[in-house]
Amino acid sequence: MRWLVRALLLILFLGGIAWFHHVRTHRPQRIAAATRAGILLIGNGTEPGTLDPQLATGQPEHHIFHAIFEGLVAPSPDNPDADGPGAAASWTHDNFTTWAFKLQPQGKWSDGTPVTAADFVYAYRRILTAQFGADYANMLYPMLNAEAYHTGKLSDFTQVGVKALDPLTLQITLAGPAPYLPSMLKHYSWFPVPQHAIEKHGKITDRNTRWTRPGNLVCNGPFVLSSWRINQAVETVRNPHYWDAASVKLNGVTFIPIVSDTTEERAFLDGQLHLTNTVPLAKIPGYRKTMPDFYQDEPALTTYFYRINTTRKPFDNPKVRRALALAIDRESICRNILRAGQKPAVGLTPPGCGIGYQTPAVMRFDPVAARQLLAEAGFPDGKNFPGFDILINTLESHRTIAEAVQSMWKQHLNIPARVLNQDWGVYLESMRKLEYDVCRAGWVGDYLDPSTFLALWKTGDGNNNTGWGSSRYDALLSQSFLESDPAKRFTTLQEAEAHMLEAAPILPIYWYVRSYLVHPSVHGLLPSLLEHRCYKAVRLVP
């Protein structure tokens, strides 16, 4: 009987392969028609939470914003991490502190209204208005008096370091020298927003109004929003009013939210996507070997880590947090689970953050020291340690990693962790409201400097979401923004990072390599440490 069962299973397995081959070869492939029409089809992970660039915090939104909005500086077509002209045609600076940006003379919003320096002043006032509640307001803190205005210590916005010198000249004055400012300006928190469109649907402090809906959203990028079907697609088409419309090669970009990496993989193999967001972890070695023309991996300025809710017991005890950190075998996770060249994270800031910056090597695997710390915290051999959850958002790879960490904590510390899955929107709310114990997270660098990772952990920062704060850390971070000597500045940032890692409100696990599948018809989509995309340089070749 056993041989009969095996035979039946084999028949079903082979039949499944034949059916899948039939579907792939006989079902009309969506990308064939899309390629002919010049429409790029992108798997974009989860459904975007918002299309307001001053409220967003995630990568799905980041990818869309590069299509429909444009900052003063834009990703260069030849190197997306390089600083190319965007809404500004050129810029100059005085000692990297006072910057003058000359806007594109032909710059227009998608409704034909001119883009002016006043639009940037309005945008920066909006994101820095505390009542608006922008999580990314801290990105503008290098600007003179921006933090003071945002925190209520200053009520006069004219004292903040941004001025419209004339309709086409914007002046930004910083609190201290920042050679990396052009790189920062490619992040969507610095993008302009249209006052006339926003205030048609509400006040400057109103959140989530209808201004971001199709037909209402006014933008200044190479593409414009044409349709947003929830959990189906965000569709964009060429923006005829874009200042560099002649260089745009695509007729549109469609962003398709597919949470499951296996579902996304099937969609790609079935000819429904040009580009995936990721690749199932178990499939990476096979794709590398058998489909090298489709499989791509590239370094990313990204760290995968766990947040810890330091307001909940027993996680308010730094010895408990350090014990958790020491009981994670990062090398094993990279070697046995990820298998795409990821590196164990010895600290938070990944390689490439800044030339000459050395990440403090604080994170390591030391289960003996972990058990000792847990015993000192009052939980010898895990005795009486309460059950707790590792919160993840829906994705197979997150569950696989969480189950590995769960097993390590059980093996080395004898403590009971569970894995709790939530959809993206619910997960974000749980994280923001500190309704979690331990929570997976990832952070993509917003610009090429260590502060893009370290500024998050300042007390009360909108992206902190751990409950942790340190006056010493805050002071070191503030000192770094005023330091003009690059070497001294990096030393200060290293001291701050080491201090934060010892307190362990977060547990860095690995530094990313971004893996994805891309159809050979896609040309001009270049690698980027920051996951910047210059869509106007992309073309489709049938």
Side-chain angles (χ1 to χ4, degrees):
M1 181 62 71
R2 185 176 297 174
W3 68 267
L4 179 60
V5 172
R6 287 178 176 173
L8 288 172
L9 289 173
L10 180 61
I11 291 170
L12 289 171
F13 178 70
L14 294 175
I17 291 178
W19 175 85
F20 185 63
H21 176 74
H22 172 81
V23 169
R24 287 186 59 195
T25 54
H26 291 84
R27 178 178 172 181
Q29 292 196 335
R30 183 181 182 185
I31 60 168
T35 299
R36 289 192 297 270
I39 307 295
L40 180 67
L41 305 176
I42 294 178
N44 201 41
T46 190
E47 176 70 17
T50 179
L51 291 185
D52 187 328
Q54 297 188 319
L55 287 178
T57 61
Q59 281 303 98
E61 296 85 358
H62 168 90
H63 294 151
I64 297 171
F65 291 150
H66 271 301
I68 60 177
F69 285 97
E70 186 172 74
L72 292 163
V73 180
S76 170
D78 299 325
N79 176 5
D81 289 331
D83 304 328
S90 63
W91 52 90
T92 57
H93 65 83
D94 181 9
N95 194 31
F96 300 108
T97 301
T98 302
W99 297 71
F101 296 87
K102 292 292 185 179
L103 302 191
Q104 299 285 354
Q106 301 302 316
K108 290 184 175 66
W109 293 104
S110 55
D111 61 359
T113 305
V115 175
T116 70
D119 292 317
F120 287 88
V121 176
Y122 175 81
Y124 300 166
R125 180 163 66 92
R126 182 175 184 248
I127 196 172
L128 289 171
T129 298
Q131 297 93 316
F132 182 60
D135 287 340
Y136 254 127
N138 73 299
M139 277 285 286
L140 276 68
Y141 280 8
M143 196 160 59
L144 182 67
N145 288 329
E147 182 177 6
Y149 182 81
H150 183 239
T151 57
K153 296 176 183 177
L154 179 71
S155 59
D156 182 4
F157 187 77
T158 64
Q159 300 303 305
V160 177
V162 59
K163 292 180 180 178
L165 300 184
D166 60 54
L168 293 180
T169 308
L170 182 75
Q171 178 179 285
I172 295 177
T173 304
L174 307 179
Y180 53 87
L181 179 66
S183 182
M184 288 187 80
L185 296 177
K186 289 185 285 186
H187 187 265
Y188 52 80
S189 58
W190 289 88
F191 286 2
V193 291
Q195 180 176 358
H196 63 287
I198 289 172
E199 297 192 355
K200 182 178 179 181
H201 299 277
K203 302 187 298 293
I204 189 173
T205 55
D206 289 344
R207 297 166 59 93
N208 301 315
T209 69
R210 296 190 62 82
W211 89 269
T212 57
R213 298 300 173 186
N216 298 338
L217 190 145
V218 175
C219 54
N220 72 322
F223 301 91
V224 63
L225 180 68
S226 61
S227 171
W228 183 3
R229 291 172 287 133
I230 303 298
N231 293 320
Q232 294 185 55
V234 173
E235 296 175 306
T236 70
V237 296
R238 289 171 67 105
N239 176 7
H241 294 291
Y242 178 57
W243 68 270
D244 195 24
S247 297
V248 179
K249 300 170 179 62
L250 295 170
N251 290 321
V253 184
T254 296
F255 302 87
I256 303 170
I258 306 177
V259 172
S260 166
D261 51 14
T262 56
T263 302
E264 184 188 50
E265 176 199 28
R266 285 197 298 271
F268 178 85
L269 295 176
D270 201 22
Q272 307 304 304
L273 295 173
H274 287 109
L275 180 72
T276 70
N277 187 56
T278 186
V279 179
L281 293 176
K283 303 288 187 68
I284 288 175
Y287 277 120
R288 233 194 213 135
K289 183 176 181 181
T290 63
M291 296 179 66
D293 292 339
F294 292 82
Y295 174 77
Q296 297 289 327
D297 59 36
E298 57 198 42
L301 200 72
T302 308
T303 303
Y304 192 101
F305 61 95
Y306 281 176
R307 281 182 169 91
I308 298 181
N309 184 350
T310 66
T311 69
R312 286 188 176 178
K313 292 185 178 298
F315 306 107
D316 58 338
N317 188 332
K319 290 186 176 181
V320 169
R321 303 195 298 265
R322 289 202 298 272
L324 295 177
L326 291 167
I328 298 174
D329 187 348
R330 296 163 180 80
E331 180 66 41
S332 175
I333 290 173
C334 292
R335 182 179 63 252
N336 299 318
I337 297 176
L338 301 172
R339 298 182 294 179
Q342 293 87 346
K343 302 296 183 185
V346 299
L348 175 62
T349 51
C353 269
I355 298 174
Y357 186 80
Q358 295 296 319
T359 302
V362 174
M363 294 291 137
R364 67 186 192 280
F365 177 51
D366 190 342
V368 174
R371 287 190 288 270
Q372 178 62 36
L373 282 168
L374 199 64
E376 292 174 9
F379 304 101
D381 194 32
K383 185 177 180 181
N384 297 324
F385 199 94
F388 66 99
D389 293 320
I390 302 172
L391 175 63
I392 63 170
N393 60 292
T394 305
L395 194 65
E396 287 90 338
S397 59
H398 296 330
R399 176 169 291 278
T400 301
I401 294 167
E403 289 174 347
V405 173
Q406 174 191 40
S407 176
M408 292 170 186
W409 285 343
K410 180 63 177 177
Q411 177 184 353
H412 302 302
L413 299 177
N414 195 30
I415 59 177
R418 302 173 295 266
V419 179
L420 174 62
N421 181 94
Q422 292 180 345
D423 288 337
W424 179 250
V426 180
Y427 153 86
L428 286 179
E429 279 302 298
S430 297
M431 183 173 62
R432 288 168 181 155
K433 294 179 178 178
L434 294 181
E435 294 176 352
Y436 73 89
D437 301 311
V438 176
C439 173
R440 65 80 29 193
W443 192 260
V444 181
D446 296 319
Y447 51 96
L448 295 175
D449 188 78
S451 61
T452 187
F453 287 87
L454 301 179
L456 276 65
W457 314 111
K458 192 169 184 178
T459 304
D461 184 87
N463 288 303
N464 185 315
N465 298 319
T466 65
W468 180 79
S470 163
S471 57
R472 180 185 170 197
Y473 185 85
D474 296 348
L476 288 168
L477 205 62
S478 296
Q479 179 183 336
S480 74
F481 285 127
L482 300 174
E483 179 57 64
S484 59
D485 184 292
K488 291 181 180 178
R489 179 172 175 273
F490 276 2
T491 298
T492 301
L493 288 173
Q494 286 170 327
E495 185 179 348
E497 182 171 2
H499 173 71
M500 183 272 294
L501 293 171
E502 289 292 344
I506 61 167
L507 313 179
I509 297 178
Y510 68 88
W511 291 321
Y512 273 65
V513 168
R514 182 168 174 261
S515 301
Y516 58 96
L517 301 173
V518 59
H519 194 270
S521 61
V522 179
H523 294 254
L525 188 70
L526 301 179
S528 166
L529 280 172
L530 299 168
E531 289 195 41
H532 286 328
R533 292 175 177 174
C534 184
Y535 291 114
K536 68 181 179 183
V538 177
R539 67 188 191 280
L540 296 172
V541 180

